[in-house]
Amino acid sequence: MSEDLSYEQNPVQEDAEYLEMNEVEEVIDQNQDDAQPEDIDDEMDMEDDRVEIDMTNNSKGYYDLHKDSVFNIDSYGGICITGSGDDTAHVWEINNNAINAQTNKDGEPVERKSLFEIKHNESVIGCFLTRPKGLYLISGDMNGLIKIYKTIKKGQWELIHEIQQVEELQWLKINHAVEGMFAFGGTDGSVWVYQLTKNDLNLVMTGFSHQQDCTNGDFINYSEDDIQLLSTSIDGSIVLWSVYTGEALMKWTGDNFKSHSTPQWISLQISPVSDAQPQKLAAVGSTEGALTLLNLQSHQVLYFNPAVIENIAEHEELSDLSIESISWLITPGKPALLVIGIVRGDLIVYDIPTFKIRSQLKLEEAITKTYISAGNNNANRRLFVSSMDGKVYTYDPYQITNEQSQWIAHGHNMGVLDFAVDEKNNLLVTAGDDGVSLVFEL
């Protein structure tokens, strides 16, 4: 990975053949209890619905004040913010009163301290602490209402802005490199970017190019004056925007992918900043398992596969092939990797840019998120994978098998919908479908 990867324009192949050597300068490389029949039919039905619950729990702390599923979580500076189906976002501490011997002598998880509650009128599907200073809290609900609080001091926040530009919010993201910048998209296909400056809220851009739901988006930072945004839609389009001008720099549509069906794009991940890979690439996944790799500077489609899973069982549906999460791993001196997690439970690791499968495994239930830690100077990188089986698995991303998970986080009795890794404090915090968040030491 010491050389630049230079791609020549080549037609996209429907059958997803590997990129040839002449295309690249460098190749990188329930158990239902068998209940006894009861005399009363209602009781028999209840018995038949029983499932066994794994009570294993290796967490060190917990937060359980939400009254419904916890959909999303963010962690920064020893604080967590969680968004829930109970129409609230909660702010709570993670590292001051649980992860030490004095408060946890019996080895049992210790309750985390609640700091603040943000009330909404619908499920909160996005919430963040801004980076890199943590000056603001931002939360958004399904009805499109976004609330912004400024930090007064630790444990105290004040509401300063409310905005509602879309009838239904699809996604909300912050720019981790620019304090107070955030973006969101709606079911009307629109894209919005705002910037907080000294508590003033300014509309930076609006984009109207997608014809259906705008399902995802993320920032690409080249410099303070050159920031772009990539957005996706179920109408099969992917749009690259200039944030400060609002110009659509490139729009990829079905014609670019030469697919028999229109990919409904829902997941994306931008390649990280790295001297080993100077080009900005984006990997985008669809609801039915299509995967594409885009060069965001040359605007070329480098790879397209209409179905990463070719064969499905009779009882499975195409939605089981949905690519829910994508993660990059670019490390100097090692092959670049792309990891995708699928609803069916498949975890697939590709070498870039050959796009040959390096390794894969299959979990018993749906994968909800993948994440690769930064490690120490690119060493000891770990792949985190959350699942609807209530666990978070960790792997060496260069060597994954079902039998070689490095460590597993146990404790939820329903699925893990999201998680955050606090690498500074060496903690993992989860968002559970059971309404509980757990804190684990790594």
Side-chain angles (χ1 to χ4, degrees):
M1 295 293 298
S2 58
E3 303 175 19
D4 291 359
L5 300 181
S6 300
Y7 297 85
E8 299 175 2
Q9 180 68 46
N10 283 279
V12 180
Q13 299 298 321
E14 177 68 15
D15 56 359
E17 295 179 354
Y18 300 140
L19 299 178
E20 299 296 334
M21 288 295 294
N22 63 358
E23 299 177 48
V24 199
E25 280 190 8
E26 179 187 1
V27 175
I28 312 168
D29 256 339
Q30 299 178 341
N31 202 15
Q32 290 188 349
D33 291 336
D34 295 329
Q36 297 299 319
E38 302 288 340
D39 293 335
I40 303 174
D41 291 342
D42 289 345
E43 291 184 5
M44 184 169 63
D45 290 340
M46 187 180 300
E47 292 291 327
D48 289 341
D49 289 339
R50 284 184 182 175
V51 294
E52 290 184 358
I53 297 175
D54 183 359
M55 299 302 292
T56 306
N57 189 338
N58 58 348
S59 67
K60 299 296 184 180
Y62 68 91
Y63 184 84
D64 64 353
L65 297 186
H66 282 296
K67 298 177 177 63
D68 205 333
S69 301
V70 183
F71 294 133
N72 49 281
I73 189 167
D74 189 31
S75 170
Y76 188 63
I79 294 173
C80 264
I81 182 169
T82 45
S84 170
D86 64 7
D87 306 345
T88 68
H90 288 191
V91 186
W92 45 281
E93 287 184 330
I94 59 171
N95 68 343
N96 285 345
N97 66 345
I99 313 300
N100 61 70
Q102 292 182 345
T103 60
N104 202 16
K105 293 178 180 179
D106 58 1
E108 294 296 319
V110 175
E111 184 175 7
R112 314 310 301 133
K113 180 182 178 181
S114 177
L115 298 175
F116 188 60
E117 179 183 75
I118 302 172
K119 294 183 179 180
H120 283 260
N121 295 319
E122 250 295 352
S123 297
V124 177
I125 61 170
C127 57
F128 295 94
L129 297 117
T130 57
R131 311 289 201 277
K133 298 179 181 179
L135 298 181
Y136 305 99
L137 299 175
I138 302 175
S139 60
D141 65 34
M142 289 187 67
N143 282 344
L145 177 63
I146 295 175
K147 294 189 174 186
I148 302 164
Y149 289 77
K150 71 174 182 179
T151 302
I152 305 299
K153 61 181 181 180
K154 186 173 182 179
Q156 292 187 14
W157 292 268
E158 177 186 348
L159 179 66
I160 56 172
H161 297 287
E162 290 187 352
I163 55 175
Q164 189 160 16
Q165 298 285 16
V166 297
E167 291 185 359
E168 185 174 342
L169 188 70
Q170 286 284 288
W171 59 273
L172 171 66
K173 295 281 184 69
I174 62 168
N175 189 330
H176 285 248
V178 181
E179 182 71 32
M181 179 176 283
F182 63 96
F184 57 91
T187 53
D188 60 356
S190 63
V191 183
W192 306 74
V193 178
Y194 280 85
Q195 170 73 60
L196 287 153
T197 305
K198 295 182 179 179
N199 300 332
D200 292 332
L201 182 64
N202 300 298
L203 176 62
V204 180
M205 70 152 278
T206 56
F208 298 90
S209 181
H210 302 297
Q211 301 304 306
Q212 292 178 266
D213 301 24
C214 178
T215 53
N216 211 331
D218 211 349
F219 289 99
I220 306 103
N221 300 296
Y222 291 105
S223 68
E224 290 184 1
D225 300 322
D226 186 6
I227 299 175
Q228 298 176 9
L229 180 82
L230 191 70
S231 61
T232 64
S233 173
I234 61 172
D235 68 3
S237 65
I238 304 170
V239 181
L240 182 65
W241 306 90
S242 170
V243 166
Y244 289 126
T245 68
E247 178 187 359
L249 302 173
M250 178 62 186
K251 182 176 182 178
W252 295 268
T253 64
D255 292 339
N256 297 98
F257 304 113
K258 297 182 173 67
S259 177
H260 293 308
S261 60
T262 300
Q264 297 185 13
W265 303 116
I266 59 164
S267 55
L268 74 89
Q269 190 70 31
I270 311 297
S271 62
V273 175
S274 173
D275 292 338
Q277 173 52 56
Q279 298 181 48
K280 278 294 183 181
L281 309 179
V284 187
S286 85
T287 57
E288 296 182 353
L291 178 67
T292 191
L293 182 68
L294 307 174
N295 187 317
L296 299 181
Q297 290 161 289
S298 70
H299 301 163
Q300 295 173 328
V301 178
L302 303 176
Y303 174 84
F304 174 70
N305 187 339
V308 295
I309 303 294
E310 296 181 356
N311 301 310
I312 62 175
E314 290 184 2
H315 67 278
E316 294 177 330
E317 300 178 356
L318 286 176
S319 59
D320 293 326
L321 307 183
S322 178
I323 298 176
E324 292 298 292
S325 186
I326 304 172
S327 297
W328 288 89
L329 176 58
I330 298 178
T331 304
K334 291 187 177 182
L337 304 181
L338 186 72
V339 180
I340 63 171
I342 297 175
V343 165
R344 198 180 71 167
D346 300 82
L347 183 71
I348 304 175
V349 182
Y350 291 95
D351 275 328
I352 304 295
T354 64
F355 257 87
K356 293 180 179 178
I357 294 177
R358 181 186 184 94
S359 54
Q360 63 186 113
L361 59 80
K362 191 173 187 302
L363 300 180
E364 292 184 0
E365 297 193 39
I367 291 174
T368 55
K369 183 176 180 177
T370 61
Y371 171 81
I372 296 177
S373 65
N376 298 318
N377 297 319
N378 286 315
N380 302 317
R381 307 287 296 271
R382 279 199 281 187
L383 169 62
F384 293 78
V385 182
S386 59
S387 169
M388 287 304 292
D389 66 6
K391 301 178 179 67
V392 180
Y393 301 82
T394 63
Y395 300 94
D396 176 349
Y398 289 99
Q399 186 178 12
I400 66 165
T401 69
N402 285 88
E403 293 76 27
Q404 293 183 357
S405 174
Q406 294 177 323
W407 176 80
I408 301 175
H410 299 266
H412 289 282
N413 57 37
M414 297 177 70
V416 177
L417 303 181
D418 193 12
F419 64 86
V421 178
D422 182 342
E423 297 195 46
K424 181 179 179 180
N425 295 298
N426 211 30
L427 302 175
L428 167 72
V429 286
T430 58
D433 201 13
D434 52 11
V436 177
S437 291
L438 298 178
V439 183
F440 298 87
E441 274 187 318
L442 297 174

